[in-house]
Each structure stands twice: as structure tokens, then as C-alpha cells.
Amino acid sequence: MKKIYSFIIALCFINTLKAQTATFNITYNGFTTQAQTAYQYAADIWANTVVSSVPIKVTAHLQLLPAGTLGITFPNGIKNFAGAPMTDRWYATSLANSIAGTELNVGVPDVEMFLNSTVNWYCGTSGTVPAGQYDLATIVLHELCHGLGFLSLAKDSSGIGSFGMLRSADFYNLVQAFPWPNLDTLPSVFDEFLVSGTNQQLDSFPNPSTTLSPKLKSNSVYFNGANAMAANGGVKPRIYAPASFTLGSSITHLNEATYPAGNVNELMTPNGNPAYALHNPGPICIGILKDIGWTINPSLGVNEFSSVNNQLEVYPNPSNDILYIATSIPKDKIKSILVKNILGETLMDLGKTFSNDISTLTKGIYFITVNSFDSQINQKFVKN
Ligand SMILES: [Zn+2]
């Protein structure tokens, strides 16, 4: 769920479709052609990020939702499937299918998404969003991530905290495409990684209980997965856990204040921003997806942020403006130095220049590619 919030930052991003490692089969309800194009654009980013041999089935609705809500997404859930890495934990079926290598929910969608038709959507894909409009591609990218399993089953009601006690009625009775499961007071695989400020696992507390309740509202909840931490400089990423629990926002997002608009990890915070685009999941989000069981497109390598290898070094990393490039390839052997996005699209041709102004790039993950006459080497960097 992404909610309306006021923040104005204009960004630009250039992006088009490349070879994909997953397939999204999307059923559209209430979408214009332009809205479908923006939706497909966001789905293509995920299709190039996660790896699955099983097509991911999405049903998308553009319809009236309560004011203040941009979108709500429900992943279909499954537990204890053959080969499940964790027992008694809920997996998004798209993730379970990718792990199992077979379609476990034949004929039933993996994701049902509702987007608010009353929102002033920007349906282009340029990343330059006019004032007062919300970038549909950004919000779809966010919502699809929930559909992939970036989702907590935490709830706080009348001072009782719980996992796995969500009901359809909690979300305007929107679910139609698959039956609302009996969640059996079981956490999601995402929940398994949630810890308090003193590193106590949240799902180790009695469930449901009054003991768990304050933990969910403590402003001190973190994600302790190894990949997410590695993507965050070895530190546990902070989860959104404000003093007032809001179902659909609390616990199931990265912390708003830690990753504000303009931060490379902003996508999975609870609040959406007008006149703002972020067409990149960000390294922490990718780390979390890896921790819950997703295989990430190996050609992205987005979880490795060390900038040094034998042949190519880029620094500083992350970088704000001037990016320096050092390579063991002799200059007279270099054909070109390129800046590419995570989809492999060339954004800048740097010629043979080793110090370059990259300040015009949107915050996100990029690659420097050095082409020589007999090799091509790549190095990731982060634009802050
Ligand atoms: Zn959300």
C-alpha cells in the first residue's frame, strides 16, 4: 500500500525493455491504453530483476478506492509447499512457484492489485512527472513488490499485536480473485526477519498478545536478513513502525524517515510522492527479496556494492556528481566507456574519459561498462 504524501522532487530516468528472467501475465480491469503501458513498463523492470520459470499472474484493477490510498496489493499465499525453505511461514505464490519451479496455484492469480482511479496519475514512462501527478509506474513497481512477498502479516488491534490474523474485512473486502486464506496465526517469511532494537525476533513473542503490540509500534523494528544487511553497509535496514499502527503501512514497509524521497531505497516506504519517479527497487529491497527466497537476475548483481575488482574500479561509490574510473586495460585498447542502467540500456557514452559528471542521473543503481577490443568488463555503482 502506498499512501499520498506531499514531497516534490523531479527526477528523470530512461528505460526500456530488455531480455527478461521472469514473465508477468497481467489481466487489466479499468485501464486506459496509456495506463497499461505504464503498468507494463513497471512489470518489465521486475521481469528483468527476479528469476522464475513460472509466469507470474497478476490481476490489476483501476477503480475507486478510499481517498488517500494510491494502491492496495494482495499476494496469493501458500505455506508448507514441497521444497519450502521455511515451514509454517506464508509465501507469496509467485515466490513459492519460483522456488518449486512449478505452478502451485493453477488457474488462480498470484497477485491482485487495486489502484485508485481517482488519483491524478501520470501514465508516461519518462520519469519526469508533472506537478500534482503521481507516477503510475513508480507506484506499480512498489505494489508489485508487495505482490512478490515484500509483505508483513502483522496487525495491531485494541492493543493486541498479532501475525497471521488479517481478514478480508480489514481491507474494504476487496479480494475477489482468490479466496482469503485462513492465515492460522502464522507469520509471512518476510516477518521471520523482523527484529526489535535489541535484536529479539518479533515472531518469537506470544501471538496474538499484548506483549507483541508495543513491539509493532516501537519505532524500533529492523530487518535482519543477511542480504538486506549487506546491501545496507552491514547494518539492519529500518522498518516502518510508528507509534500509531496503520494496517497496510506499518511493519510492511521500509521506514519513511530513514529513506525519504530522493533516497535510492525510497521505493518501499509507505508514502507516495507527487511529481516524483523512482523506477528502481533499490539495493535494500533487492536484498530483502533475496532473503525471503527470491533468485535475482545474476546479470544485475545488485547486491554487491564493492567497487573494486581486478580490472575496473569506480569511485566514490556511491557517487553524487563526479565519478572516477580506473582500469587495468590500457587506454589505447579501450573502445568505449558506457553508463548503463540495470536493464542494460546505455544512458551515457563517456568516450575514453576517466572522470565524469554523473549528476544528471536519477538516484539508483548503474553500471560502468568498459569495452576493449577483446573484452567487456562491468562494474556497478550507486548514484546518490
Ligand atoms: Zn506499500
Side-chain angles (χ1 to χ4, degrees), residues 1-2 142 146 253:
M1 182 184 288
K2 196 89 171 166
H142 172 104
H146 287 313
H253 292 99

Side-chain angles (χ1 to χ4, degrees), residues 31 62 66 77 80 97 124 127-128 152 154 178 187 192 231-233 237 241 250 259 269-270 332 347 352 368:
F31 281 71
L62 192 55
N80 297 336
N97 289 345
T128 303
S152 172
F178 38 82
E192 182 71 15
N232 194 40
S250 293
Y259 314 102
T269 62
D332 62 357
L347 305 183
K352 295 186 179 186
I368 290 290

Side-chain angles (χ1 to χ4, degrees), residues 20-274:
Q20 299 182 334
T21 48
T23 304
F24 283 77
N25 292 337
I26 303 159
T27 303
Y28 293 104
N29 298 291
F31 281 71
T32 63
T33 303
Q34 294 94 323
Q36 280 193 31
T37 300
Y39 198 107
Q40 187 66 52
Y41 171 89
D44 287 341
I45 292 173
W46 282 121
N48 190 55
T49 301
V50 296
V51 177
S52 182
S53 62
V54 182
I56 298 165
K57 298 160 289 181
V58 178
T59 303
H61 309 265
L62 192 55
Q63 67 173 55
L64 184 65
L65 291 179
T69 298
L70 294 171
I72 301 175
T73 296
F74 304 93
N76 198 352
I78 190 168
K79 62 176 178 177
N80 297 336
F81 55 95
M86 292 184 199
T87 55
D88 287 345
R89 293 292 177 270
W90 286 98
Y91 283 79
T93 53
S94 56
L95 170 55
N97 289 345
S98 79
I99 292 170
T102 187
E103 186 180 6
L104 302 168
N105 54 327
V106 176
V108 181
D110 296 300
V111 179
E112 180 139 36
M113 185 187 302
F114 299 85
L115 296 162
N116 196 341
S117 57
T118 64
V119 169
N120 187 4
W121 293 110
Y122 171 69
C123 294
T125 57
S126 72
T128 303
V129 186
Q133 293 195 309
Y134 286 83
D135 188 49
L136 183 61
T138 298
I139 301 305
V140 171
L141 200 64
H142 172 104
E143 295 295 333
L144 280 175
C145 190
H146 287 313
L148 297 173
F150 191 116
L151 192 92
S152 172
L153 298 179
K155 178 177 172 178
D156 183 70
S157 181
S158 305
I160 296 173
S162 64
F163 288 108
M165 290 183 68
L166 302 179
R167 302 288 178 260
S168 177
D170 294 332
F171 300 95
Y172 323 116
N173 289 303
L174 281 168
V175 174
Q176 296 136 10
F178 38 82
W180 192 270
N182 181 353
L183 296 172
D184 298 329
T185 63
L186 294 175
S188 68
V189 62
F190 176 95
D191 290 322
E192 182 71 15
F193 293 94
L194 300 177
V195 296
S196 70
T198 52
N199 212 31
Q200 290 175 284
Q201 236 179 308
L202 292 196
D203 67 12
S204 69
F205 290 95
N207 175 31
S209 74
T210 53
T211 319
L212 178 57
S213 172
K215 301 296 176 187
L216 300 174
K217 302 179 287 192
S218 62
N219 252 314
S220 184
V221 175
Y222 300 86
F223 193 95
N224 76 345
N227 292 291
M229 289 174 65
N232 194 40
V235 177
K236 293 187 283 281
R238 189 166 174 183
I239 296 293
Y240 185 65
S244 172
F245 189 94
T246 303
L247 196 61
S249 290
S250 293
I251 308 298
T252 200
H253 292 99
L254 294 178
N255 191 38
E256 187 70 43
T258 310
Y259 314 102
N263 186 288
V264 66
N265 291 302
E266 188 278 339
L267 186 74
M268 292 314 293
T269 62
N271 296 329
N273 310 293

